[in-house]
Amino acid sequence: MPVDIALPTGNGQIRPPARPRQAPPVAVVIFGASGDLAGRKLVPALFDLQQAGLLARRFAVLGFSRSALSDEDFRGSMREGVQRFARHKPVDERGWQEFSSALHYQCGQFDDPSSYRVLADRLAEIDREHGTAGNRLFYLATPPEVFPVIIRQLGAAGLNRPRDEGCVRIVIEKPFGTDLKSARMLNHEIQQVFTETQVYRIDHYLGKETVQNILAFRLANGIFEPIWNRNYIDHVQITVAETDGVGTRGGYYDQVGAFRDMVVNHMLQLLAIVAMEPPVVFEAEPVRDEKLKVLKALRRIAPEQVGEFTLRGQYTPDTVDDRPVAGYRGELKVAPDSWTETFAVAKLDIDNWRWAGTPFYVRHGKRLPQRMG
């Protein structure tokens, strides 16, 4: 039987557990806070957590970016993001006022030591105002080329070290390097400043409810686990399709393309979850170990076979909902002669006892007829 995994876009409400485990007090510093990720994902998600009763009352956000904004400007911008992207709608005015009172902003340069001295002072002030107890969470929502700059500056300012009884964590979003060499270089930079227990390398795609449910569907269901193998499954398809184009992200996207933007991170993680063996316990390290075994079992594609096992494409001008839309080469900040792919397909083989002979097809693209993912 074929297994076709097409991840639908849900808009369900957050369902907190019966006994929510509230987070400890913390000040979250978002580097790149004036960018797309903070307004679309991070702050709306934090608002949803607050509405679900999962954030501590002693909580604050400090946005750090190069844009010249006041605290009120930042709050106004984040209000727009929450109204558009938060799951709790309509936005409760009383809840927003409580949440927004904990939003602050600092204009600074990522490579300027004086900006980090001001940051240290602002965090001390936030500790006094909000009772965040010296706990810090630094979130790098910036272009990846400034990751090492920010990490070095945090270390030079002593912000990598906990104050008193507090703790310090740093969250690094993908892309984690562009190849093995650059990923190792970034790891080296991080380890010069932070201990491994302080570092969270995250893939936000794994937080989707449908993705989380794959593990329960597979491993907690006595019907499916016995037949979840090459003897009963002819092939597996994993599809993440988007109806939108690249929008305002053309400058970034033209450097990476569909394959690096989605396939080698989000979609390989999905493949690993679908194909992995049951972990001994459902804890972070055993799950990671089982996913790693799958990735190591992936058959390498020789350079001369790339055309046989992969396909790339690029969207062209068309109409969507009876309105004309630009092709990829006509998007803002995209080179008019760009060959960057916006659509990618790969046929992958896993050489282990469970999946030998069962191909996995992964596909991703922008400006497609139907959204899945």
Side-chain angles (χ1 to χ4, degrees):
M1 66 177 181
V3 175
D4 192 351
I5 300 170
L7 302 178
T9 303
N11 194 30
Q13 298 293 309
I14 287 180
R15 296 194 299 271
R19 296 182 179 179
R21 184 169 64 88
Q22 197 173 68
V26 68
V28 179
V29 180
I30 302 176
F31 288 97
S34 61
D36 186 67
L37 182 60
R40 287 175 60 93
K41 299 290 186 182
L42 303 183
V43 173
L46 290 170
F47 177 76
D48 283 328
L49 289 173
Q50 186 232 32
Q51 293 295 286
L54 299 176
L55 285 187
R57 296 187 64 84
R58 294 180 293 160
F59 166 83
V61 173
L62 177 59
F64 183 110
S65 191
R66 292 173 290 201
S67 302
L69 301 174
S70 66
D71 283 2
E72 287 307 315
D73 292 335
F74 181 59
R75 288 166 184 162
S77 175
M78 293 303 105
R79 172 67 184 258
E80 294 177 10
V82 166
Q83 286 178 319
R84 289 186 62 192
F85 301 110
R87 294 182 178 180
H88 284 82
K89 293 178 181 177
V91 174
D92 174 66
E93 190 60 34
R94 182 175 179 181
W96 169 253
Q97 291 300 326
E98 180 182 352
F99 178 78
S100 64
S101 66
L103 300 182
H104 304 274
Y105 185 82
Q106 177 190 332
C107 176
Q109 298 298 318
F110 298 134
D111 59 352
D112 178 20
S114 66
S115 294
Y116 291 81
R117 291 193 289 271
V118 175
L119 175 60
D121 292 340
R122 288 294 302 275
L123 286 171
E125 181 183 326
I126 285 171
D127 281 341
R128 293 190 294 270
E129 180 180 348
H130 294 281
T132 45
N135 295 327
R136 315 274 188 254
L137 191 154
F138 298 112
Y139 199 113
L140 305 192
T142 64
E145 59 266 21
V146 298
F147 288 174
V149 176
I150 295 171
I151 290 164
R152 287 194 291 267
Q153 292 292 348
L154 287 171
L159 289 167
N160 59 323
R161 297 188 297 272
R163 295 177 66 248
D164 303 324
E165 298 298 318
C167 66
V168 175
R169 301 287 186 267
I170 185 167
V171 178
I172 302 174
E173 267 270 15
K174 67 94 178 173
F176 199 86
T178 57
D179 54 21
L180 180 60
K181 180 180 178 181
S182 58
R184 284 175 171 168
M185 289 176 63
L186 179 55
N187 247 348
H188 178 74
E189 292 277 1
I190 295 168
Q191 290 165 355
Q192 299 303 303
V193 178
F194 293 93
T195 64
E196 185 59 31
T197 56
Q198 292 178 289
V199 181
Y200 289 80
R201 303 166 186 83
I202 72 164
D203 186 331
H204 61 261
Y205 208 85
L206 300 185
K208 286 179 173 285
E209 185 175 4
T210 307
V211 177
Q212 295 287 311
N213 286 343
I214 292 174
L215 289 173
F217 174 79
R218 269 202 59 194
L219 305 176
N221 193 320
I223 297 175
F224 292 107
E225 180 53 25
I227 59 172
W228 202 263
N229 58 62
R230 59 189 174 89
N231 295 322
Y232 299 93
I233 296 177
D234 178 77
H235 66 275
V236 177
Q237 299 184 39
I238 303 177
T239 303
V240 178
E242 300 179 38
T243 55
D244 293 335
V246 297
T248 60
R249 300 173 66 231
Y252 161 76
Y253 199 89
D254 210 34
Q255 300 177 47
V256 295
F259 199 79
R260 282 181 170 169
D261 189 49
M262 281 293 299
V263 176
V264 298
N265 37 69
H266 301 324
M267 299 195 73
L268 284 188
Q269 288 280 359
L270 290 175
L271 181 148
I273 289 173
V274 170
M276 73 183 208
E277 297 300 315
V280 176
V281 291
F282 277 96
E283 295 177 358
E285 291 191 3
V287 171
R288 178 205 63 192
D289 291 345
E290 295 303 332
K291 290 198 294 183
L292 182 58
K293 291 177 185 177
V294 173
L295 298 179
K296 287 184 174 181
L298 282 175
R299 186 184 305 170
R300 295 192 178 190
I301 299 174
E304 64 273 14
Q305 294 179 305
V306 168
E308 180 183 348
F309 289 93
T310 68
L311 177 69
R312 301 190 304 160
Q314 191 183 85
Y315 64 83
T316 56
D318 205 342
T319 58
V320 175
D321 297 330
D322 297 322
R323 61 181 178 86
V325 293
Y328 176 69
R329 293 181 179 181
E331 299 282 19
L332 186 66
K333 297 183 180 179
V334 171
D337 58 350
S338 172
W339 283 93
T340 299
E341 79 282 358
T342 64
F343 177 81
V345 180
K347 176 186 176 183
L348 303 174
D349 292 286
I350 301 173
D351 291 327
N352 63 17
W353 75 268
R354 184 183 288 269
W355 297 113
T358 298
F360 281 68
Y361 298 93
V362 297
R363 65 168 71 90
H364 163 66
K366 291 185 174 294
R367 196 68 79 192
L368 295 176
Q370 181 179 358
R371 181 173 180 177
M372 299 177 182

